[in-house]
Amino acid sequence: MTTTTTRVLALLEILQGGGIHPVPDLAARLAVDERTVRRYVGHLLDLDVPVDAVRGRYGGYRLAPGYRMPPLMLTDEEALAVVLGLLAAQSAGLVTTSAAASESAAAKLRRVLPKPLARRLAALLETADVTARPRPGAAPETAVLLGLAEATHQQRPVALTYTDRKGRRTDRTVLPYGLVAHAGRWYLAGADPAAGDGDGDGEGAVRTFRLDRISALSVRSGSFVVPATFDPVTRVLTGLARTPWAHEVSVRVRADVPHLRRHLPADLATVSPIAAAAGTDDADPAERDGEPGGTPEADRDGWVRVRMRAERLDWIPPVLAALDRPFVIEHPAELRDLVRALARRLDACADQ
């Protein structure tokens, strides 16, 4: 494109930002004189772009109220960012139930871009692949995701119909604190007034909800205030780690928390350091001095308690082995047998 064409398009982009732009300001931003700015406005008028001239001390140029331009004003980098965003959202499973939405959006984008750039982006979409795959299961409805986003932003209560993992369907009112996309799913962290006063603030216990399990949603009147220290990401990950599965696992590991977090994500396990001077009256039974597997009180410094919940135990021994740190199984007892079985298999392999 010529320099003139580029600056005319730059002027249009400035005007699309809204408001009234004085001619001296436009001249400075475009690095031209004021007469040239007026000539560029004439070019836009020739293209049927409705530019209004506002007279007076605070006058200047603006786009006519209500005028909307199609999404044509994208640089190569901006177009690439949009296409990669569509590709990443689709591969991560974050698109809603309209499965063709990302493909149709990319197709529309290619139609309005210059042919050379559209051709290169089409080549990228046809040849690029990603290692992450969407998780199986239903995606949330578009109306549910956008409705919750708006209610969360405006701090408005919502009434929703929710089906839990056991298939129980309930109607409840929730105060939406935050939305989190994690591992191919959308989650809502919010206070459930019907669940009891979890934090003593009168708003109820904070719960985590999967958006694909919400079948109906409506915004209610009223407002609320999100606690200043609330972190929706931490709440969702902690909630996932505490999901009540068939087995509750507790293990003490001599390691620092950063090392454990490299092997045990926050949505898989909770970790908490064990104080060296902790008393034994309220300690875990397996932790008392003199009992099998117990840690002497003077030797507790550097130990961390790891708690996990799992439907099956067979995958946990390899995870513990990968920690490469001393550990003590507190419960369940059957996990010890699985660890011993893994040790025998590894020993047999080492002797071959």
Side-chain angles (χ1 to χ4, degrees), residues 181-342:
H182 172 68
R185 289 192 176 121
W186 283 99
Y187 295 90
L188 168 68
D192 185 355
D197 195 1
D199 297 324
D201 54 10
E203 293 187 344
V206 178
R207 298 293 180 86
T208 300
F209 304 92
R210 271 175 48 179
L211 265 64
D212 59 302
R213 292 176 175 169
I214 299 176
S215 56
L217 176 77
S218 61
V219 180
R220 296 296 180 89
S221 60
S223 62
F224 61 89
V225 177
V226 180
T229 59
F230 182 78
D231 181 1
V233 173
T234 299
R235 180 60 186 85
V236 168
L237 295 179
T238 302
L240 293 175
R242 293 175 177 173
T243 301
W245 296 109
H247 302 279
E248 293 191 8
V249 177
S250 181
V251 180
R252 295 197 311 279
V253 185
R254 185 186 284 275
D256 56 72
V257 173
H259 175 81
L260 294 177
R261 278 293 175 228
R262 286 192 289 270
H263 298 269
L264 301 170
D267 62 338
L268 178 65
T270 61
V271 298
S272 54
I274 302 173
T280 58
D281 292 340
D282 58 350
D284 193 290
E287 191 178 333
R288 293 172 185 156
D289 298 346
E291 294 192 18
T295 304
E297 190 166 326
D299 196 32
R300 286 185 195 158
D301 193 27
W303 287 82
V304 175
R305 176 168 285 110
V306 176
R307 288 190 172 95
M308 296 178 281
R309 299 186 180 188
E311 194 66 23
R312 303 190 332 268
L313 295 174
D314 54 351
W315 59 271
I316 296 181
V319 172
L320 295 177
L323 296 177
D324 194 26
R325 294 293 188 274
F327 64 86
V328 176
I329 297 173
E330 295 179 333
H331 59 78
E334 54 264 41
L335 180 57
R336 296 190 179 96
D337 295 331
L338 293 175
V339 171
R340 294 187 187 101
L342 174 63

Side-chain angles (χ1 to χ4, degrees), residues 89-174:
Q90 184 179 12
S91 65
L94 297 180
V95 294
T96 56
T97 50
S98 178
S102 58
E103 288 90 344
S104 62
K108 291 177 181 178
L109 178 64
R110 292 197 299 270
R111 284 199 297 270
V112 299
L113 289 174
K115 289 184 178 179
L117 177 57
R119 184 173 58 251
R120 297 172 72 184
L121 292 177
L124 173 65
L125 289 175
E126 292 172 5
T127 58
D129 205 348
V130 292
T131 56
R133 296 300 176 193
R135 295 181 63 166
E141 293 283 349
T142 301
V144 170
L145 177 58
L146 296 182
L148 281 173
E150 186 174 28
T152 302
H153 183 262
Q154 297 178 353
Q155 298 183 347
R156 299 271 302 277
V158 295
L160 53 85
T161 300
Y162 189 75
T163 303
D164 65 16
R165 64 188 184 90
K166 294 183 178 180
R168 295 174 299 195
R169 185 170 177 170
T170 57
D171 296 320
R172 59 184 78 195
T173 299
V174 176

